[in-house]
Amino acid sequence: MRELVVGLVVEGKTDYEVLKPFIAQTLANQGYSSSEIVFLEIQPELDATSRQHRDGGWTRVMQWCLAHPPEDRDQLYFE
C-alpha cells in the first residue's frame, strides 16, 4: 500500500478538522483512498503534557514558514 503524508501548518486546531475532508476528497479524486492518506499536524503544536494545542494564529503560521524554509521542510518532517 502506498502512503501519502500531508503536513498541515494552520492557524488553529479547528482548521485541521475543516481542511482534512477537503484535502482528502481532492486526493480521492486523484486516486488515493482514505487509508493511504496520513495527516501530520505540524502547527499549532500539540502540547505533550496537556494534550492541548499551543498558540496559533496567522502570525504563528508566518513565523513557522520563516523558521522552516521550503528546502528544509521535507527533511525535518517527512524523512
Side-chain angles (χ1 to χ4, degrees), residues 5-13 15-17 19-20 23 38-48 52-57 60-70 72-79:
V5 179
V6 178
L8 297 173
V9 175
V10 299
E11 289 187 55
K13 64 181 182 177
D15 293 343
Y16 291 132
E17 303 311 315
L19 292 173
K20 285 179 186 179
I23 295 169
V38 176
F39 288 99
L40 178 61
E41 297 178 357
I42 297 172
Q43 166 65 37
E45 295 178 357
L46 189 62
D47 184 274
Q52 299 295 316
H53 285 90
R54 297 182 182 180
D55 293 337
R60 295 281 187 179
V61 171
M62 179 67 97
Q63 289 170 353
W64 187 92
C65 290
L66 293 172
H68 301 88
D72 295 342
R73 295 175 192 169
D74 283 348
Q75 182 180 4
L76 285 170
Y77 293 98
F78 302 109
E79 290 183 4

Side-chain angles (χ1 to χ4, degrees), residues 18-32:
V18 171
L19 292 173
K20 285 179 186 179
F22 288 106
I23 295 169
Q25 182 59 53
T26 299
L27 293 172
N29 292 342
Q30 296 180 18
Y32 287 91

